Amino acid sequence: MAPLSTDPADAFAELGRIKLGETGLDDVLQRVAELAKRALDTPVEVSVTLIRNGTGHTAAFTDDLARDMDERQYAQGRGPCLDAAASGDVLSVSDLAEEHRWPDWAERGHKAGLGSSVSIGLPIQDAVVGALNVYARTPHAFDDDTVTVLETFAAYAAVALANAQLYDSTATLAQQMQEAMASRAVIEQAKGIIMAERRCTPGEAFDILAKVSQDSNRKLRDVAQALVDRAAGER
């Protein structure tokens, strides 16, 4: 039994209730795909393509056929969802039976019973691009009004993607800062040990650590940590 349709306004309101900071990216994208499917009068299947470092994968989908049509493009390295993701444009295929830009992909979809599709590129991110893909079994299923509705779903997916990117960047920066602080702390400990043993200045102690690091081809932090561990073991 097909799921009951949802008024687009209700679907957008439901999207607005998702707390992006508390919901994983894949879960948000899956909800976007499901609500986009329910918001259209025409029966469709929906997927979301993400491309990282040149490799595409389907992060969300409402039916295996949508995922399979995406993966066909990934295998061939071309197709509407890949081109839309790269350009940020809207790419429509009005009739798969008459599509000549991506003939192999279109023939595969036509034989599977698909009639038309539309892929909407998500706004370009620093490291990730993507597209919202919608597949219909009838030709010419997507008029201008339908595409406008889908562009709103795509925009929400883009916000979720940007939010996830920001979170990842912030988390990475925090981790790097923690590691830097830990490295600085152990280096200061090692300098203190050398100063006590050699009765030298902080600058001289650092020069000694740096020379050992260079001579042994080891990181400065590793040299410092080894010295601290040795001193702790001698207590």
Side-chain angles (χ1 to χ4, degrees), residues 169-182:
S169 298
T170 302
T172 299
L173 178 59
Q175 181 180 359
Q176 291 172 342
M177 291 179 65
Q178 289 176 344
E179 291 174 351
M181 291 173 67

Side-chain angles (χ1 to χ4, degrees), residues 109-123:
H110 180 63
K111 288 181 178 179
L114 293 177
S116 55
S117 75
V118 61
S119 292
I120 301 172
L122 308 182

Side-chain angles (χ1 to χ4, degrees), residues 43-44 58 60 72 83 88 119 144 155 179 181 193 221 227:
V44 297
T58 299
R72 180 72 172 178
D83 290 358
S119 292
D144 290 344
E179 291 174 351
M181 291 173 67
I193 294 169
R221 185 193 187 284
L227 179 58

Side-chain angles (χ1 to χ4, degrees), residues 179-189 221:
E179 291 174 351
M181 291 173 67
S183 295
R184 180 173 179 178
V186 76
I187 290 170
E188 290 299 319
Q189 285 180 290
R221 185 193 187 284

Side-chain angles (χ1 to χ4, degrees), residues 73-167:
Q73 298 177 61
Y74 309 152
Q76 295 180 331
R78 60 191 306 269
C81 81
L82 293 178
D83 290 358
S87 65
D89 294 334
V90 175
L91 291 179
S92 296
V93 178
S94 298
D95 188 345
L96 269 74
E98 299 179 358
E99 174 57 45
H100 302 297
R101 290 169 292 180
W102 309 284
D104 294 340
W105 171 84
E107 182 180 4
R108 174 80 166 250
H110 180 63
K111 288 181 178 179
L114 293 177
S116 55
S117 75
V118 61
S119 292
I120 301 172
L122 308 182
I124 300 297
Q125 304 294 320
D126 289 339
V128 184
V129 296
L132 178 72
N133 313 299
V134 189
Y135 300 96
R137 294 192 177 276
T138 57
H140 307 285
F142 305 102
D143 58 19
D144 290 344
D145 290 340
T146 301
V147 171
T148 298
V149 170
L150 291 174
E151 285 179 322
T152 302
F153 282 99
Y156 196 88
V159 170
L161 179 58
N163 187 72
Q165 285 292 103
L166 178 61
Y167 176 82

Side-chain angles (χ1 to χ4, degrees), residues 31-63:
R31 198 70 187 123
V32 169
E34 291 168 354
L35 287 171
K37 173 179 178 175
R38 289 167 49 191
L40 299 186
D41 294 331
T42 302
V44 297
E45 300 300 340
V46 183
S47 68
V48 179
T49 290
L50 295 183
I51 303 175
R52 299 175 187 266
N53 300 320
T55 300
H57 80 282
T58 299
F61 58 95
T62 60
D63 184 83

